[in-house]
Amino acid sequence: MSSSTTLYGGAGGRRLTVRDIATAKARGERWPMLTAYDAMTARVFDQAGIPVLLVGDSAAMVVYGYESTVPVTVDDLLPLTAAVVRGSSRALVVADLPFGSYQSSPAQALETAARFMKEAGAHAIKLEGGRRVVPQVEALVAAGVPVMAHLGLTPQSVNTLGGYRVQGRGESGDELMKDAKDLERAGAFAVVLECVPADLAERVTASLSIPTVGIGAGPATDAQVLVWQDLMGLTPHPARFVKRYSGLAAELDRAARAFAADVTTGAFPAPEHTYE
C-alpha cells in the first residue's frame, strides 16, 4: 500500500472524499477520526494525518459548557465548522446536525445540511437514528450530501434512552443490525457505533460494505473516534471507552500558574520581551 493511497497519514495535495473512505474499507485499512472545533486544532490534527475531522455536537459540552448535546444550535455549530474547514487542507470535515434540525422531515434535514455545506464548507454531515431517519438519509444522498449515520448510544436521544448507557444488548442488538443495513441501503457512507457491545459491533462491521466508526464499541470497527478533549486529558471524568494520551489539563494548569507567578513577581515581561 503506497502512502498516496493510505487514508491515515497519506500524501496531501487534495481533500479526502467519501470514495477514499470506501476504498479504505475495501482494503481493510483502519483509520482514526477526531473531533475538532477551531482552526488551530484542526490544523494540528490535519498535519498529523488524521483523515476525518468531526465537528461534533459535543461542542455543546466542550465548547459551550452545556450538560448535554441537546441545547446546541445550527448557528452555534456553523462558525465552528467553517473554522475547521479553513484550518485543514486534507481531512474530510463532517458536521453534526444538532438536535431539532433534521428530525421533523427530509425537507428540514436538507435545508439544514445545505447551510452546513454552503455557509461553512462542510464535506459531509452526520445525523443520529436508525430507520426513523432513513427518509432523511435518502433525501440528502439524492441531493448530493454525503451522510454519516450514528447508531447505538445517540446522545441527542439520551432522555428517551434513560441516560448514557450501553445500547444493543439482547434483542435490541438485532434491531440495531437492521437499522445499520437500512442506513447502508439508504446511501450512508459510514455509520458510527457508540457504546455497543464489542461482539455486536464486530457483527455489524462484517455485515456492512460501508465502514463502521467505533466509540466504545470494541476493536473490530473499521475506524475509531474520540472527542479530542477526552483524548488529551482535559475532561475530568471521561467515559470508560476513553484512553487518555496526554495530561493537557495539568500542563495548562502548570503554565497558567507559572505565568501568574512571573507577573506577580515582575519576572515577566523580561527585557527580551520588551520593545525599546
Side-chain angles (χ1 to χ4, degrees):
M1 187 189 311
S2 68
S3 61
S4 62
T5 59
T6 302
L7 196 63
Y8 164 64
R14 68 171 178 85
R15 286 279 185 186
L16 293 171
T17 69
V18 294
R19 182 177 180 182
D20 296 304
I21 304 299
T23 56
K25 166 89 171 186
R27 63 175 175 255
E29 181 190 352
R30 294 182 177 180
W31 47 274
M33 180 167 82
L34 283 175
T35 63
Y37 314 96
D38 65 88
M40 293 184 71
T41 308
R43 184 173 295 111
V44 171
F45 296 160
D46 192 61
Q47 292 175 350
I50 304 299
V52 183
L53 296 177
L54 171 66
V55 187
D57 58 2
S58 48
M61 290 92 82
V62 299
V63 175
Y64 292 110
Y66 296 115
E67 293 185 356
S68 75
T69 63
V70 172
V72 78
T73 67
V74 171
D75 288 336
D76 288 333
L77 295 182
L78 281 171
L80 306 187
T81 305
V84 171
V85 172
R86 289 192 295 265
S88 59
S89 61
R90 180 177 181 267
L92 177 79
V93 178
V94 181
D96 247 341
L97 300 192
F99 178 74
S101 71
Y102 63 91
Q103 287 92 341
S104 68
S105 69
Q108 184 199 30
L110 181 55
E111 181 180 354
T112 304
R115 290 195 66 192
F116 275 99
M117 300 189 78
K118 293 176 68 173
E119 298 177 33
H123 312 122
I125 64 92
K126 183 174 79 65
L127 49 73
E128 296 181 4
R131 277 162 282 178
R132 62 183 174 82
V133 297
V134 162
Q136 284 89 328
V137 174
E138 290 175 337
L140 290 170
V141 172
V145 179
V147 177
M148 178 178 284
H150 187 152
L151 292 172
L153 174 58
T154 47
Q156 292 176 11
S157 305
V158 67
N159 292 319
T160 59
L161 295 175
Y164 295 94
R165 307 169 65 180
V166 174
Q167 304 295 310
R169 286 178 170 151
E171 293 182 0
S172 62
D174 295 331
E175 292 302 308
L176 189 145
M177 177 71 79
K178 293 176 183 177
D179 283 341
K181 290 182 175 294
D182 286 346
L183 289 164
E184 178 181 38
R185 282 191 289 268
F189 75 90
V191 57
V192 173
L193 301 175
E194 181 169 357
C195 286
V196 303
D199 60 338
L200 173 61
E202 183 173 10
R203 287 191 288 116
V204 172
T205 300
S207 71
L208 299 181
S209 61
I210 60 174
T212 56
V213 182
I215 177 167
T221 54
D222 298 297
Q224 298 287 337
V225 60
L226 283 177
V227 172
W228 82 259
Q229 287 89 344
D230 290 341
L231 175 95
M232 300 297 182
L234 279 177
T235 48
H237 304 291
R240 174 180 174 175
F241 57 73
V242 172
K243 179 178 179 179
R244 290 187 173 185
Y245 288 83
S246 175
L248 189 56
E251 181 61 18
L252 287 172
D253 179 82
R254 183 206 62 78
R257 291 176 185 271
F259 167 68
D262 280 356
V263 170
T264 55
T265 61
F268 178 83
E272 62 267 27
H273 309 120
T274 305
Y275 296 102
E276 296 296 332

